[in-house]
Amino acid sequence: MTGSRLRKAGLIAGAAAVLTFATSTSAWANWTANNWVGNQGKLSQQWVDESYNEINFTGCDEVYGRTSVDVALWQQIDWGSDKKHDTSTFTNCFKGASQKSTATQTGLPRDSYYFEIDKIGSGCISCAVAVTKVNVDTTKAD
């Protein structure tokens, strides 16, 4: 191999390593997002989990006055269809800026997970829920 080819091969290998690191670190355990907005069908970022997780929404609001949001937990399946585990209806977070709604799941296999805004109110495709704080916590000890 010539020097030019070696440099190109090294550059490609280095870029692949950086890309692998960058994509694998985005799917990790606990995470928080402030001022998160989602419409029906919006997916969250992914996280890696086993056995236990909590999805917390604090301070929910919807422009048209809807007072509930259905949040579905999904397990990412690498070589097949993702698996839906549970859907929770959040209502308490709509009762004030500091009010929290929580969905808790246990007995989950170690894998990557994400949530989806399944439904807003009784079903409103053009609606969007604004959440002051979204938190995913995979530590049962809290």
Side-chain angles (χ1 to χ4, degrees), residues 20-129:
T20 300
F21 177 76
T23 57
S24 66
T25 57
S26 67
W28 209 235
N30 303 338
W31 63 269
T32 300
N34 293 310
N35 302 315
W36 190 87
V37 178
N39 58 348
Q40 188 170 307
K42 179 166 181 176
L43 306 178
S44 73
Q45 74 181 54
Q46 292 184 353
W47 66 91
V48 174
D49 193 11
E50 67 178 304
S51 186
Y52 175 87
N53 77 54
E54 285 180 9
I55 301 169
N56 299 295
F57 279 23
T58 304
C60 298
D61 193 22
E62 200 285 316
V63 135
Y64 299 110
R66 307 298 195 278
T67 58
S68 69
V69 60
D70 289 0
V71 178
L73 175 69
W74 287 88
Q75 178 183 358
Q76 180 193 352
I77 307 297
D78 289 333
W79 305 109
S81 298
D82 291 357
K83 180 179 178 183
K84 189 177 196 177
H85 279 274
D86 190 21
T87 301
S88 299
T89 301
F90 288 177
T91 57
N92 198 57
C93 64
F94 288 90
K95 296 178 181 175
S98 63
Q99 297 301 306
K100 180 166 69 172
S101 292
T102 301
T104 304
Q105 297 84 21
T106 59
L108 301 169
R110 179 169 176 76
D111 213 337
S112 291
Y113 293 88
Y114 60 92
F115 67 79
E116 174 186 18
I117 299 297
D118 201 34
K119 186 170 63 171
I120 297 171
S122 59
C124 179
I125 294 172
S126 63
C127 297
V129 63

